[in-house]
Amino acid sequence: MTEIERQQYDVVVIGAGGAGLRAAIEARLQGKKVAIISKSLFGKAHTVMAEGGAAAAMGNVNSNDNWMVHFRDTMRGGKFLNNWRMAELHAKEAPDRVWELEAWGALFDRTKDGKISQRNFGGHEYPRLAHVGDRTGLELIRTTQQKIVALQQEDHRDHGDYEARIKVWAETTVTRLLKNGEQICGAFAYVRETGKFVVFEAPAVILATGGIGKTFKVTSNSWEYTGDGHALAMLAGGTLLNMEFVQFHPTGMVWPPSVKGLLVTESVRGDRGVLKNSDGKRFMFDYIPDVFKDKYATTEEEGDRWYDDPDHNLRPPELLPRDEVARAINSEVKAGRGTPHGGVYLTVVDRMPGGAAEIVKRLPSMHHQFKELADVDITKEPMEVGPTCHYVMGGVEVDADTAAAIVPGLFAVGECSGGMHGSNRLGGNSLTDLLVFGRRAGLGACEYIESLGADLPSVPDAEVEAAAAEALAPLEREGGENPYTVHHELQQMMNDLVGIIRKEEELALALEALEKLRERVSNVSVAPVAASGGRGYHPGWHLALDLRNMLLVSECIARAALERQESRGGHTRDDYPAMSAEWRKVNLICRLSGDGGVSLKHQPMEPMRADLIELFENDELKKYLTADELPEETK
Amino acid sequence: MTYKAKFKVWRGDEGQGELTDYTVEVNEGEVVLDILHRLQATQTPDLALRWNCKAGKCGSCSAEINGMPRLMCMTRMSTFTEDETITVTPVRTFPVIRDLVTDVSWNYQKAREVPAFDGGDVKPGEFRMMQQDVERSQEFRKCIECFLCNNVCHVVRDHEENKEAFAGPRFLMRVAELEMHPADVLDRREIAQDEFGLGMCNITKCCTEVCPEHIKITDNALIPMKERVAGKKYDPIVWLGSKLGIVKKGENTPTA
Ligand SMILES: Cc1cc2nc3c(=O)[nH]c(=O)nc-3n(C[C@H](O)[C@H](O)[C@H](O)COP(=O)(O)OP(=O)(O)OC[C@H]3O[C@@H](n4cnc5c(N)ncnc54)[C@H](O)[C@@H]3O)c2cc1C
Ligand code: SF4
Ligand code: SF4
Ligand code: FES
């Protein structure tokens, strides 16, 4: 059998994005020995791409803001399907987590009195997003990366070894979680450079693997987003929550084809950008849904006044939550009012008081991105934009306070976890989600380990052998299909049949197609390379292994989408266009079925705590809740 | 708009390899990375390369294209003529792992030696900094760690032996960033000179020229650092005063 390296840690964190790094920092601060595993190099995780900012009710720009307002916005954005305990913890703890970054060296943009500046974003009542130009994610990842380096420097001082208590395993991919009976006992991985296998023995594993966008063709996500954490959790007996909710960001680039899907940050709209159709009309005014009628401006004049005088005007409907804007764009294009390349126009031309110079200052990376990739100067011409698969709200079912999954020893945090964002995530809420629950997952894992005492689970040989055999299979098979072909077909199918607007017939077709793809995935093969016994830096082999995960995740999305007969947030059913208060009470839970497919069950939503319900006006609650759920006096 | 382009791509591992010829389809609006992805999908599934964001934000896809150090995802095919042969090779300063993937661990080692930010006694939430004071360091924090500047700098590009004593423009700039950080209290001037090799930089500005983030590494980071180091030798008091009234607690912070 092939050589396998063994490593012992207290906590293994899978993922080096904001969530994973924050979790690792916490576990190390609690005195644990930690490994951070990442598919790409240290500092490159998807979090670097976040542009707009990190939402936290610090109240620096508008002192009326506080955690209760933030909580309400988050619940509204998620259409009340959120795990309300997570939304509560998030709203309460986000400011501390942002301030902590500053104490680790982050340099946010400032207000006039020297505090952290905050900007407007869709669905947030007050300016709430701490930001650094439009590269906030880079700042977050660099700061946490540098904090880890700072901790390594401490260890170097104390133990003579930078990696004594925290080591980053860059370009290493986990393909299986390992279990001893019911408990997690480690993870199985290969090092990308050499293809060498490594078994990480650890009583606690934290999943922080990000999203699933690479299952769709048009996406703002990178190759890393193959739903690994989602799939790893399921394969280890975990459950996934509400996987039908996939966020299509309203503004992705639509041209040139090679960058189709690439994100155009929502800050463009927060900073006065407006959407127009090919008739030159600001069409969003036609798409304000009833639940938001009294919260958005009905005339362009009022909407425009709001940027300078938000206390006396309503905000423009370009800043509705993402699901609303994405559907509106979709409808305009369908009605024949789209741009030449099938999008709508988004423009900042003549919209900023400081003219072109202010555009370049406020939106430097958008200016750069359009100039370099599309030959468009956004200070002179409008951008063409359309919806793109951006974020998955669904994810590993976890306990709100500790991030613990149902499998003992398994934790999940960040985009791969579920619940926090309900049916639709507000912009900016992800970055602070990573920090708030990253810290909590680190603490949760440490508490769990303490509870085990000396009774640590060992890694059974059979688990390791099975994982190794599975990883080697595509290399050992001969004459199978090319993994790239299968991947392209999966992406096209998901885009066509499980995309932004869904129907029963198409979802049924998708499930049939997935059945066939499952067979093809189990039959892909790749030829060994010359380096390192055939497995040295072999992208074809890597993709062959990722396919299993994408397939499982796709099946969860399609099954849950077929089951949920209503439209809510990131799930729009053409055949069930209304939101249903009955369905709001239902969480859809996916787990692995006996035959390796996916089984689905309904799980009732826990009723919201009374003191949290009281934060809402009764008129608003009536829009979401069934009569039975309303507080006594409203009935 | 579709045409077939001629490519030469370096293939091989650990020092042994050669330029291999390919003919690949090119469509409107594509970048070099798209073409290499098409090669992977249709002709050579094992072609090793790094990328993540495909938007110039992560700094993973550094390579040398017709000898110029560049990001593959930000190099548009329209910058070449249709009959031009495009040569893609791994960055030269770091050892090749396979094909276009190089071992960049030297950069991470250097990163680890620069003493981290130290905010002194200020509590989280109590930092007050003015926009004009954070902007200098913010420019350097735009860095996406593509390491193209470290790759191109002649001090290490053809002088393996200098890697020990020289941190490269990326990490000299990190030192400058911390030195100009309004809330940092350490003093890294001496180690900038003695440990990280600031003196070996003879301000050729090659690093600035290749930086995809258009950071003015030489003018805004390296030259001011040199002045600060020189200033320290002559007049440490002026230096202390110039740090926004903050008195540095650690004179001569050692490497980490
Ligand atoms: C273009 C763009 C812009 C965005 N802008 C914003 C914004 O302005 N505000 C906001 O709040 N949110 C924004 N988001 C969303 C937010 O950036 C992400 O949801 C968030 O960064 C996810 O962080 P994470 O820590 O969960 O995962 P990531 O940062 O994606 O990290 C995942 C990590 O897991 C690793 N990994 C995955 N699978 C494996 C495996 N099998 N083995 C080992 N390692 C593995 C990866 O290598 C990576 O290190 C944006 C997203 C995109 C795509
Ligand atoms: S300016 Fe200095 S650091 Fe930059 S390339 Fe020239 S010698 Fe190297
Ligand atoms: S300074 Fe510029 S060239 Fe150097 S690593 Fe950073 S982004 Fe790349
Ligand atoms: S792929 Fe991220 S910079 Fe090129």
Side-chain angles (χ1 to χ4, degrees), chain A residues 253 256 259 262 369-375, chain B residues 31 73-74 76:
Chain A
M253 287 174 82
V259 293
L262 197 65
Q369 179 174 317
F370 273 87
K371 191 119 202 151
E372 303 268 328
L373 296 174
D375 263 335
Chain B
V31 294
C73 71
M74 295 304 275
R76 299 189 68 187

Side-chain angles (χ1 to χ4, degrees), chain B residues 152-155 166 169 200-207 218 222:
Chain B
V152 85
C153 176
H154 68 95
V155 177
F166 186 64
M200 293 163 98
C201 159
N202 55 352
I203 53 178
T204 57
K205 301 200 184 182
C206 311
C207 51
T218 327
L222 305 181

Side-chain angles (χ1 to χ4, degrees), chain B residues 33 50-62 71-74 144 146:
Chain B
L33 184 62
R50 282 197 184 104
W51 70 286
N52 265 26
C53 67
K54 207 169 169 293
K57 292 194 163 82
C58 72
S60 302
C61 65
S62 304
L71 298 178
M72 293 190 283
C73 71
M74 295 304 275
I144 57 174
C146 65

